[in-house]
Amino acid sequence: MAKASLIWSMLLGMSCFIVIGIYCENLPHARTIISGGNYHEAIHRLQAFKTSLTRHNSLSSAPSSSPSPLPSQVVKNPRVYHVTAYGADPTGNSDSTEALLAAIADATKGPSEGYLLEGIRDLGGAQINLEGGNYMISQPLQLPVVGVGNLMIHGGTIRASNNFPADGYIIDLSKPPNANRGDHTPSPSYNFEYITLKDLLLDSNFRGGGISVINSLRTSIDNCYITHFTTNGILVRSGHETYIRNSFLGQHITAGGDRNERNFSGTGITLQGNDNAVTDVVIFSAAIGIIVTGQANTFSGVHCYNKATGFGGTGIYLKLPGLTQTRIVNSYMDYTSIVAEDPVQLHISSSFFLGDANIVLKSVNGVVNGVSIVDNMFSGSNQGVEIVRLDQSNSPFHQIDQVFVDRNIARGMNLKTTIAKMSMQGNGTSWSFDFNNILLFRNLIKNVQYSLGSASRAFPNHALRNVSDNRVMIETNEVVTAEVFVMVDQNVAS
């Protein structure tokens, strides 16, 4: 019996040796594969083969009806590309540009899971893992091909070197020169879809910008800290549905009260496309916090304390006269104002304006239509600043319709509204009400409601006698002691 066991063990060892020899022969150019950037894939295949050997050895003493899986059935591409495996220096002491670009190239050329939008290959959630390192680069990080999606870059710090292009972006999601798709599918209508940039610190070193997203669809920028830019922290152009959230942007790293604030330049976020959202984002230093030249964008939980308006800065600038379609809610404008050119369909609500920050409606072609500014809080320094101001230096507003400024509260600033109420008690035949100090538009009262109450035994006749220059006159046909209440509206009565 012992002799039979010895013979069986020798045969098993020989069979394992033969299998190993055959498997190695079936790994063509093994050294080339490992050195060519597919190190993790090769290691994964070897580990899978080791697992199959272990299973074979354990099953030799306990026969089973199901065969052991072949290595080709077990091995799968991990789709996680660790940049240090490509030679990236996580200390930031040497240039890691080529290593990072190599990892990105392998990820974009990796296996796909079919398609997202037509012409966009689904990379299956491939990840460029920065492994918590600090990497220096000398040129923008671009995807080498267009027409790919479902890819993430995350988990580390990237800094521009002193010879980084002054007009470049650290991560540049645009179509590179002479880019090709790498296959024969039709060219997509968008460059990329569902690219996620997450948990990154990007330091532009006062050379160019942080992230550019050009003609892309459903891009996510989440939990990023972008600093030392000179152009834009984030630039979005064309495409749509770029979501920027839980992020911090500032040209200079400061927490307010910087003595060099007057010299802040650049823009935190530039949106030159439609249907984007900025949520829970802080912009702590820049000349302009956010500039918008695209339609149907929304902002929620945005805190701007970039260059103060008193120093020439702007918090949010809506530079798209004629069709704004912008919603700003639950935000905090900290010494920085909102400026909207010829706003059409603009909603601002539930926001806080500190330090004489206000809302400026700027006339370009004299149009303001469909504007709702309601339920906001304003706090100022008693300098006579209006919570909503009309800038008519170019031309007066002459097309005014559906503008509602109401239910706002102000402390240390002048309240402005399009709906106003006033009451007066007295004895006489006329009651005059002047609404110029509170109404937003001059000489524009479209609706008046009033009531006259008197304890006199007489029943005087009374009438609305005059409405002009934001003044209302109520008259009676005889002297009477009365209380008169008037409500005016600068919109057409519904």
Side-chain angles (χ1 to χ4, degrees):
M1 191 66 167
K3 183 176 181 181
S5 298
L6 178 61
I7 294 172
W8 174 251
S9 298
M10 293 176 63
L11 290 173
L12 177 60
M14 291 177 64
S15 65
C16 290
F17 175 77
I18 292 170
V19 170
I20 291 172
I22 293 173
Y23 184 74
C24 289
E25 289 176 1
N26 288 333
L27 285 176
H29 312 294
R31 293 181 181 272
T32 304
I33 290 174
I34 293 175
S35 63
N38 292 318
Y39 170 81
H40 290 281
E41 180 179 351
I43 292 300
H44 193 79
R45 292 173 62 188
L46 290 174
Q47 289 174 341
F49 176 66
K50 180 181 177 181
T51 301
S52 70
L53 287 180
T54 303
R55 288 183 178 179
H56 179 80
N57 193 26
S58 63
L59 290 174
S60 63
S61 59
S64 171
S65 59
S66 58
S68 299
L70 296 174
S72 61
Q73 294 174 313
V74 175
V75 173
K76 291 184 179 180
N77 191 322
R79 295 195 179 117
V80 178
Y81 299 82
H82 296 265
V83 296
T84 56
Y86 292 80
D89 178 8
T91 68
N93 291 324
S94 60
D95 193 298
S96 295
T97 305
E98 294 303 322
L100 295 181
L101 288 174
I104 291 171
D106 276 359
T108 57
K109 297 172 184 176
S112 63
E113 300 287 340
Y115 290 86
L116 299 173
L117 195 71
E118 182 180 5
I120 305 287
R121 286 195 303 119
D122 181 358
L123 297 177
Q127 298 181 22
I128 312 298
N129 191 338
L130 299 181
E131 307 172 72
N134 184 353
Y135 305 95
M136 180 177 65
I137 62 172
S138 55
Q139 67 183 76
L141 300 179
Q142 281 188 307
L143 276 62
V145 297
V146 295
V148 294
N150 197 3
L151 170 71
M152 177 187 293
I153 303 175
H154 69 99
T157 297
I158 306 175
R159 302 181 188 275
S161 67
N162 290 333
N163 56 345
F164 190 88
D167 59 350
Y169 286 84
I170 291 179
I171 298 178
D172 188 352
L173 295 182
S174 64
K175 183 178 180 180
N178 303 319
N180 59 74
R181 295 183 42 80
D183 56 27
H184 301 290
T185 57
S187 297
S189 54
Y190 297 95
N191 291 334
F192 311 104
E193 181 183 2
Y194 190 36
I195 304 295
T196 299
L197 308 175
K198 185 177 181 181
D199 303 336
L200 300 171
L201 189 151
L202 305 179
D203 186 342
S204 299
N205 191 27
F206 297 108
R207 300 190 63 80
I211 299 172
S212 71
V213 181
I214 311 298
N215 193 33
S216 295
L217 180 63
R218 292 184 269 274
T219 304
S220 178
I221 301 172
D222 189 4
N223 193 34
C224 290
Y225 189 118
I226 302 173
T227 188
H228 297 153
F229 50 84
T230 53
T231 52
N232 302 280
I234 299 173
L235 167 65
V236 178
R237 179 180 298 152
S238 302
H240 57 100
E241 296 168 25
T242 293
Y243 273 50
I244 305 167
R245 53 181 175 263
N246 306 320
S247 294
F248 306 87
L249 298 97
Q251 184 182 57
H252 301 269
I253 299 178
T254 178
D258 194 304
R259 62 182 180 180
N260 296 313
E261 183 175 339
R262 293 178 183 273
N263 299 321
F264 290 174
S265 61
T267 302
I269 300 173
T270 295
L271 297 180
Q272 298 176 355
N274 303 338
D275 309 334
N276 306 297
V278 180
T279 305
D280 297 332
V281 166
V282 176
I283 302 174
F284 52 86
S285 63
I288 300 175
I290 303 173
I291 187 166
V292 185
T293 58
Q295 302 166 14
N297 295 288
T298 183
F299 305 89
S300 175
V302 174
H303 181 191
C304 290
Y305 65 104
N306 50 293
K307 182 190 289 188
T309 295
F311 295 157
T314 305
I316 300 176
Y317 199 118
L318 307 177
K319 192 176 180 62
L320 59 166
L323 196 57
T324 307
Q325 294 178 332
T326 302
R327 293 137 290 159
I328 303 173
V329 299
N330 195 33
S331 293
Y332 179 10
M333 309 308 296
D334 195 342
Y335 284 80
T336 58
S337 299
I338 296 174
V339 178
E341 295 185 352
D342 276 3
V344 174
Q345 294 187 317
L346 168 64
H347 176 81
I348 303 173
S349 70
S350 304
S351 295
F352 178 46
F353 295 76
L354 178 67
D356 290 324
N358 63 353
I359 300 168
V360 179
L361 306 181
K362 184 175 182 178
S363 173
V364 176
N365 299 308
V367 178
V368 55
N369 190 327
V371 174
S372 174
I373 302 173
V374 296
D375 300 324
N376 300 288
M377 294 189 297
F378 296 83
S379 180
S381 56
N382 293 302
Q383 299 298 312
V385 177
E386 299 171 345
I387 66 168
V388 181
R389 181 174 69 86
L390 302 180
D391 180 352
Q392 301 182 90
S393 56
N394 292 323
S395 65
F397 284 108
H398 56 85
Q399 296 182 35
I400 304 167
D401 190 25
Q402 299 185 78
V403 180
F404 299 91
V405 180
D406 194 23
R407 301 196 310 270
N408 300 293
I409 57 176
R411 180 182 181 185
M413 297 177 70
N414 290 353
L415 196 66
K416 285 292 181 178
T417 182
T418 58
I419 302 172
K421 303 173 184 178
M422 199 176 293
S423 64
M424 183 183 301
Q425 290 181 335
N427 180 268
T429 59
S430 65
W431 285 261
S432 180
F433 299 84
D434 188 347
F435 291 94
N436 278 295
N437 288 335
I438 192 168
L439 287 178
L440 180 61
F441 300 101
R442 292 191 59 83
N443 195 25
L444 185 68
I445 294 178
K446 294 186 176 181
N447 181 43
V448 178
Q449 297 181 40
Y450 82 92
S451 64
L452 186 147
S454 174
S456 173
R457 297 179 63 182
F459 290 91
N461 293 322
H462 51 85
L464 173 62
R465 298 293 291 178
N466 186 44
V467 178
S468 62
D469 195 26
N470 284 346
R471 292 182 173 87
V472 174
M473 176 74 73
I474 308 296
E475 290 188 354
T476 60
N477 66 334
E478 58 182 83
V479 176
V480 63
T481 300
E483 180 177 8
V484 181
F485 171 82
V486 176
M487 182 173 71
V488 297
D489 192 339
Q490 295 195 312
N491 290 283
V492 176
S494 56

